[in-house]
Amino acid sequence: MALSVPGYSPSFKKPPETLRLRRKRVRSLGTALPPGERSEPAPRRAALAAGLSLRPFPVAVGRGGGSPATAGRNPFARLDNRPRATTEPPDGSPPGQQEAPSPILDSNQENDLLWEEKFPERTAITELLQTSHVSFSESDTPSSESTELPVDWSIKTRLLFTSSQPFTWADHLKAQEEAQGIIQHCRATEVTLPQSIQDPKLSTELRCAFQQSLIYWLHPAFPWLSLFPRIGADRKMAGKTSPWSNDETLQHILMNDWSVSFTSLYNLLKTKLCPYFYVCTYQLTILFRAVGLAGNDVITALMSPTTRGLREAMKNEGIEFSMPLIKENGHEKKKISGTSLEHGEEQAISDEDEEESFSWLEEMGVQDKIKKPDILSIKLRKEKHEVQMDHRPESVVLVKGTNTLTLLNFLINCKSLIATSGPQAGLPPTLLSPVAFRGATMQMLKARNVNVKTQALSGYKDQFSLEITGPIMPHCLHSMTMLLRSSQSGSFSAGLYTHEPTVVFNICPPMDKVLDKETIHEELANCGLHPKTLDQLSQTPVLGKSSLRNVEMSDYIYNWRS
């Protein structure tokens, strides 16, 4: 006599068994009916009887039958979007052969799904590994083969290097190697590696240089807050402790320290001891570059994105600036200055524009019948166009020469750079620099070595990856590619993730004079950068409003796309 167990049913079947029984039942029904005797929907039968030519279409399984091949296909055979491990059969092959699932592939997929549930990090890394091998023929901006990458002035938030050779040399640095790397960075020691390293794991020179490349300098620094990126960071900062948000005395102290650090950085830039630095606020980012970088013969500052209110405030302070991406009447906009045009000249220009814009009415003879808009309406229309480009890449502002010093004083006294509400309220802007400055804190980029398996034609193969996260500045990207050139024997690929508001820094601003390389090396010899890195940063930008997205090196030759 069977014991009755509460909640137990002898006829209970697991869902996979039920689906298997339904598949068998549908297959048996499909094979039992000849093709000519399968039922058709009533409207289709009526149309065929009337002599209309209808396009054949597969009939839904379970509602009128279906072909054995169609009925036998499991729509849930593949739950992920990975490419198939085997090549697709030719178009002429029967559909049943194309849809036949592989039991080995299904088991691997189940393992992948379980792995992704336990380790969600692997999903993103596997996707990155697949996207990093996209054909360069599909890129938006393909490039020709070159031994050097174009200069990219945008800040990267993540780098993912992949290679067929392991990155074990980047793991578990010894205390002596870490200390040596820090000393090399502080003393700006130039490290030259051979073209190929036989055993990278045993190369102390390589590991110290890797530690040296991960260092950057930051102000302010709070261990519980991530101060980059600042644009769109309110959600990440929400709920974090911010004792300065409601304390005006503490805010005043923080701003005084920030002003000292900002002035120190500008002085280093002016004396050519710092090549460049970034000022990151909750609304915009500013890039200051020394003389000789990006092909300029003076100090430059790029600001993006800007607003009409900020530009008006700069004009009122007498700061001359230009907007390289704004064109009027087919010509580039000239320098804007708060003191260059007087009211009478502006009135004359507006009157001329008004006469030109309505001259066609006189030609038609209807100038008296149509009411012309007044000067105020025309001015409001022009202001509307200026406001429409606010917070866009086109609103980038270029300040050159001695006006950068005026900009420094303007930014120190500008209250709109600091949020008055929200998680970033009262927090000074972030200063990022490749060299030390007064009040700065040494920080390290995070590096992680990950090994995954990727699908190949013959199954799965090992793929080694090195992930670097943090505010990755242009000099760091170039240093990393030089290290991997030697450690990976000139063969690797990389996926680059950009902080989008800084992409516009790759535009080529108008230049009065281009300095030669020898002059740049002499003037910036003590800026703390490797000579090869300095060569790259002194190039004229060619990426425009785009940035590097994927890089691949093969046989010491670069291919890249933006």
Side-chain angles (χ1 to χ4, degrees), residues 324-543:
L325 297 183
I326 300 300
K327 296 182 179 180
E328 292 182 348
N329 300 326
H331 300 285
E332 291 189 357
K333 193 170 186 178
K334 302 299 181 182
K335 283 189 177 180
I336 304 170
S337 174
T339 58
S340 60
L341 292 177
E342 296 183 0
H343 180 72
E345 295 178 358
E346 293 179 355
Q347 185 71 25
I349 293 174
S350 62
D351 293 342
E352 291 177 3
D353 293 342
E354 182 183 357
E355 292 176 1
E356 291 178 1
S357 60
F358 297 106
S359 60
W360 61 276
L361 294 175
E362 298 179 1
E363 297 176 0
M364 297 179 63
V366 294
Q367 70 273 13
D368 298 331
K369 299 180 180 179
I370 297 179
K371 184 180 179 181
K372 298 180 182 179
D374 55 3
I375 298 175
L376 180 60
S377 301
I378 296 174
K379 185 178 180 181
L380 291 175
R381 190 181 298 112
K382 290 182 179 180
E383 290 178 355
K384 179 183 177 181
H385 292 304
E386 290 185 9
V387 173
Q388 285 178 345
M389 68 181 178
D390 288 354
H391 302 290
R392 295 184 178 181
E394 290 76 12
S395 65
V396 62
V397 163
L398 172 64
V399 183
K400 302 176 69 173
T402 56
N403 287 285
T404 56
L405 179 59
T406 313
L407 177 64
L408 168 74
N409 297 324
F410 169 77
L411 295 175
I412 289 176
N413 299 312
C414 183
K415 295 183 179 180
S416 61
L417 290 185
I418 303 174
T420 56
S421 61
Q424 301 190 54
L427 188 62
T430 301
L431 302 176
L432 290 173
S433 170
V435 298
F437 58 96
R438 186 173 176 181
T441 304
M442 178 184 289
Q443 300 288 335
M444 300 284 297
L445 299 173
K446 296 180 180 179
R448 187 175 60 146
N449 181 16
V450 182
N451 301 333
V452 297
K453 291 185 179 294
T454 57
Q455 288 186 344
L457 296 178
S458 58
Y460 286 84
K461 67 175 183 179
D462 290 329
Q463 190 74 26
F464 305 99
S465 65
L466 176 64
E467 183 186 30
I468 298 173
T469 55
I472 303 162
M473 289 181 278
H475 77 283
C476 179
L477 174 61
H478 186 262
S479 299
M480 287 296 170
T481 54
M482 285 198 305
L483 292 180
L484 298 186
R485 179 190 181 98
S486 300
S487 65
Q488 309 306 117
S489 300
S491 178
F492 66 88
S493 60
L496 288 69
Y497 293 79
T498 307
H499 182 46
E500 292 301 325
T502 62
V503 172
V504 73
F505 292 157
N506 286 321
I507 63 172
C508 181
M511 291 172 289
D512 300 329
K513 183 177 64 175
V514 179
L515 300 178
D516 58 301
K517 287 187 177 181
E518 295 181 358
T519 305
I520 294 174
H521 276 284
E522 290 178 2
E523 294 184 349
L524 296 175
N526 299 320
C527 70
L529 297 182
H530 192 281
K532 291 184 178 179
T533 304
L534 186 58
D535 280 340
Q536 194 209 32
L537 297 184
S538 61
Q539 296 176 7
T540 303
V542 296
L543 293 175

Side-chain angles (χ1 to χ4, degrees), residues 173-183 208 211 444:
L173 298 180
K174 299 177 182 178
Q176 183 179 1
E177 293 170 341
E178 182 177 352
Q180 184 65 29
I182 293 175
I183 292 298
C208 293
Q211 173 75 9
M444 300 284 297

Side-chain angles (χ1 to χ4, degrees), residues 97-108:
Q97 296 178 8
Q98 295 182 14
E99 304 293 345
S102 170
I104 300 178
L105 214 73
D106 290 342
S107 64
N108 288 333

